[in-house]
Amino acid sequence: MSSDQQETTTTTTTVDGSGTTTMRATTAATTTTTTFSSQRLRINPNNEHRPESYEDLKLDFPSAVYSSLEKYLPQQILVSTRDDKVKFMTDIMLRHLPHGERSRAQRHSVYRQKIITNYQPLHKELYTLAPMQCFVPSFIKAINESSEKSFRSIISEPSPGVFVFDMLQPSFCEMMLAEVENFEKWVGETKFRIMRPNTMNKYGAVLDDFGLDSMLDKLMESFIRPMTKVFFSDVGGATLDSHHGFVVEYGKDRDLDLGFHVDDSEVTLNVCLGNQFVGGELFFRGTRCERHVNTTTKPDEIYDYSHVPGQAVLHRGRHRHGARATTSGHRVNMLLWCRSSVFRELKSHQKEFSSWCGECFCEKKEEKGRALDALRKKLVKAVSAPQA
């Protein structure tokens, strides 16, 4: 055995669909290395594990995301070094980050720092979430009780998977509108070139980019995730760990409408901040997986929603929707695209999504019907056959 080799025991770990770990050990003379490329996340979290803190590290994603994701690591990685865990989790999140957003994330740190260094906030109190100043009392009460019953007491579900409830105080909406206007004024005066919220909106601003990211993290983790854990567990509602927060603007000299699309999120929060406007209704047309995104809308999937300032709409990101023209006035909405890296990793190993995709559900129902018909015919044939 050479001086740079040693007798090592290599453990091969396989995680099956239930999260069960099977381990097989072999002994050989090898160079010492650590590879985790074949590992998969657990389906069910290890709730007894206490995650490490990553706040002291310079990371590609918020430190809270790593702590949240750590509970889903397979056992072999869970007991490895913190550096190994960071590399494994970073690789997973980068793998599920769209290519356009991946390059955007890589240059975002410098971009954001330039804004935060030079932009002077108008309402500094917005940057730390104060629930009593932000939310209406009924919403706070429901979150404090944190049960399906308390959530149902403030929510209406006018169409399956579309939840509507009063959320923001009028004063908070006014401050947010003023902050966005102040930011846009600064952008105009300094001729600073900003990134727009997405590829579909030509107007609006990314709230995370001018310092509101921590506030929106707290909004998602403490006030939205308790609800999505109840209503959207089938799309990672219990494991939301990152977000994209922004405002969009519609009306004269702004975007007019928004075409039919799905969001790059597991769950979307959409809250109207105001102003006076006519039109701009959201139209929903059923939830679909990627394979079925362009399939026909069924009559019971059609729903139109009219915006009310301070009122929130919560829906799956894969719920197909669009916005009709804002025919007069000026409408501003705040959106929070909530994402789960755990769900995205698990989804990459699935082929059908009948728990939330309307078309997958129909296909599964039809397949079950065909199987029952075949069994029925087989039984009838067996009964009708002459006895020997």
Side-chain angles (χ1 to χ4, degrees), residues 9 24 31 54 61 80 83 91-93 154 175 205 207 209 302 306-307 317 335-336 344 356 359 376 378:
T9 300
R24 178 167 55 85
T31 301
Y54 297 89
F61 299 90
S80 65
D83 287 344
D91 287 346
I92 284 178
M93 288 185 279
I154 65 167
M175 281 196 295
L207 299 175
D209 287 348
I302 297 173
S306 297
H307 290 286
L335 289 99
L336 196 66
R344 293 188 179 203
W356 54 269
E359 201 66 26
R376 192 179 295 111
K378 185 177 180 180

Side-chain angles (χ1 to χ4, degrees), residues 261-276:
H261 67 285
V262 294
D263 296 337
D264 181 17
S265 69
E266 273 58 76
V267 181
T268 293
L269 174 74
N270 187 338
V271 192
C272 181
L273 298 177
N275 286 323
Q276 300 296 319

Side-chain angles (χ1 to χ4, degrees), residues 78-126:
L78 200 60
V79 298
S80 65
T81 66
R82 188 170 67 156
D83 287 344
D84 281 338
K85 286 189 281 189
V86 166
K87 184 180 185 306
F88 180 80
M89 290 188 282
T90 301
D91 287 346
I92 284 178
M93 288 185 279
L94 286 174
R95 193 156 66 239
H96 298 289
L97 200 64
H99 289 292
E101 194 165 328
R102 186 178 303 180
S103 59
R104 176 178 179 271
Q106 290 171 347
R107 63 178 184 269
H108 232 58
S109 179
V110 174
Y111 167 78
R112 284 188 180 182
Q113 193 57 45
K114 285 182 180 178
I115 295 177
I116 293 170
T117 301
N118 295 284
Y119 173 66
Q120 296 298 317
L122 179 66
H123 293 293
K124 291 184 178 179
E125 60 269 38
L126 283 175

Side-chain angles (χ1 to χ4, degrees), residues 173-174 177 181 272-278 309 329-332:
C173 293
E174 291 169 5
L177 286 170
E181 184 178 348
C272 181
L273 298 177
N275 286 323
Q276 300 296 319
F277 59 90
V278 176
H330 182 210
R331 176 171 67 85
V332 181

Side-chain angles (χ1 to χ4, degrees), residues 123-177:
H123 293 293
K124 291 184 178 179
E125 60 269 38
L126 283 175
Y127 293 74
T128 55
L129 189 65
M132 298 300 290
Q133 283 70 49
C134 179
F135 305 123
V136 297
S138 59
F139 179 75
I140 294 175
K141 183 175 185 293
I143 294 298
N144 286 340
E145 294 177 9
S146 196
S147 66
E148 182 173 354
K149 182 179 179 181
S150 69
F151 298 146
R152 292 281 184 188
S153 71
I154 65 167
I155 282 176
S156 65
E157 189 178 3
S159 182
V162 179
F163 297 93
V164 179
F165 52 97
D166 291 332
M167 182 179 178
L168 297 180
Q169 293 272 16
S171 57
F172 180 87
C173 293
E174 291 169 5
M175 281 196 295
M176 186 63 78
L177 286 170

Side-chain angles (χ1 to χ4, degrees), residues 200 250 257-263 270 280-285 303-305 307 315 319-325 331:
M200 299 182 71
Y250 296 91
D257 55 19
L258 190 63
F260 194 51
H261 67 285
V262 294
D263 296 337
N270 187 338
E281 297 85 1
L282 277 179
F283 59 92
F284 290 93
R285 297 296 183 266
Y303 172 65
D304 287 18
Y305 166 78
H307 290 286
H315 62 85
H319 203 141
R320 301 178 300 178
H321 61 285
R324 302 194 189 283
R331 176 171 67 85

